């Protein structure tokens, strides 16, 4: 997925006890994960975070 600064980033959505931002594993309850769930490749998503709104474009979805 690409963020608003056109940088590519990959996140894995995991349970709260497995979350580790250093490994790009985000909790299913995080603002980013909640915004991404149910979205598809090509979708644009605005994520509301404490730091402000971050725009993302989903370029690939994989399921493990």
């Amino acid at each position: 997925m690409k963020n608003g600064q056109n940088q590519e980033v990959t996140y894995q959505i995991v349970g709260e006890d497995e979350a580790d931002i250093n490994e790009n594993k985000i909790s299913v309850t995080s603002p980013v994960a909640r915004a991404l769930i149910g979205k598809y490749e090509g979708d644009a998503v605005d994520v509301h975070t404490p730091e402000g709104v971050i725009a993302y474009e989903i370029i690939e979805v994989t399921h493990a």
Side-chain angles (χ1 to χ4, degrees):
M1 129 175 117
K2 289 185 180 179
N3 64 19
Q5 299 167 354
N6 209 29
Q7 297 171 325
E8 192 169 316
V9 62
T10 300
Y11 290 122
Q12 180 179 2
I13 299 172
V14 298
E16 288 185 30
D17 58 331
E18 299 171 278
D20 184 344
I21 195 62
N22 294 322
E23 295 181 15
N24 288 347
K25 294 180 178 181
I26 58 173
S27 168
V28 68
T29 60
S30 71
V32 174
R34 289 190 315 229
L36 294 175
I37 292 174
K39 302 299 189 268
Y40 299 94
E41 293 174 11
D43 286 350
V45 179
D46 289 332
V47 178
H48 298 270
T49 71
E51 290 79 31
V53 177
I54 302 172
Y56 289 94
E57 177 188 354
I58 300 171
I59 55 175
E60 182 180 12
V61 176
T62 59
H63 301 275

